[in-house]
Amino acid sequence: MAKIPENLHTPINTAYPDYTLLVGSVLSDGRAQISPRGSLYVYDSEHFAMWERGRGTTNENLVDGSKLTILYRNMSLQVDGPLPRGGIARFFGTARLIKEGPLRDEIYNGIIKHEQGRDPEKKGFAVLIKVDIAEHITGDPLSEANPVKP
């Protein structure tokens, strides 16, 4: 079972506005859709959470079980840090849509204030992403116990 290393939780959760997390999904015609996500954060060591407020193609194609890719790049974490090769981490996961209930509210309350302000009426929905693979840009497993040497 893949995990989001604890030493990346804070850098990811405080990425905005200096760093952008990108989420990749697959459109119905097979093309990749890459979108910046200010609402994405580490929910726990096995999940990311995000608020989907969009009205475009990502929203139209996002369903329970959608396969998603998350790319995080932070150059300050390279060399002797947790992401030595290019400051890049890549996560592959599976989406679970939460359109009502307390978990939806919890995820909304966990997103940064800037993103809450973009959907103050909470018209969107929550997405919990179960991490299946966590890796360095090299494809090596990403973990605090297995750092990759530059």
Side-chain angles (χ1 to χ4, degrees):
M1 179 177 309
K3 294 193 182 262
I4 305 161
E6 192 170 326
N7 61 355
L8 291 178
H9 290 200
T10 297
I12 289 171
N13 290 343
T14 59
Y16 183 88
D18 295 326
Y19 303 98
T20 303
L21 289 126
L22 302 175
V23 175
S25 60
V26 179
L27 300 177
S28 59
D29 65 3
R31 289 181 295 141
Q33 175 77 17
I34 309 298
S35 303
R37 294 295 169 163
S39 68
L40 187 69
Y41 68 97
V42 176
Y43 180 77
D44 62 28
S45 64
E46 298 175 3
H47 297 88
F48 284 97
M50 72 178 189
W51 188 256
E52 177 55 49
R53 61 176 171 74
R55 304 291 177 251
T57 54
T58 299
N59 185 289
E60 291 170 9
N61 289 285
L62 190 59
V63 297
D64 276 323
S66 289
K67 298 298 184 184
L68 301 175
T69 301
I70 297 165
L71 182 75
Y72 173 63
R73 185 174 192 199
N74 181 334
M75 296 295 284
S76 69
L77 299 179
Q78 66 177 352
V79 185
D80 293 327
L83 299 173
R85 293 201 176 153
I88 298 171
R90 193 169 31 209
F91 304 90
F92 299 92
T94 306
R96 175 178 155 213
L97 281 51
I98 302 135
K99 297 192 174 186
E100 60 186 16
L103 182 55
R104 176 183 179 269
D105 295 334
E106 179 185 344
I107 289 172
Y108 178 86
N109 292 332
I111 65 175
I112 61 174
K113 300 298 180 203
H114 174 79
E115 286 294 316
Q116 287 179 356
R118 300 190 54 115
D119 188 8
E121 296 174 4
K122 295 202 253 186
K123 292 182 178 181
F125 58 90
V127 180
L128 198 60
I129 304 163
K130 172 85 167 95
V131 175
D132 302 315
I133 299 170
E135 65 183 24
H136 289 274
I137 192 65
T138 60
D140 293 314
L142 183 64
S143 74
E144 292 173 81
N146 185 24
V148 173
K149 301 298 180 203

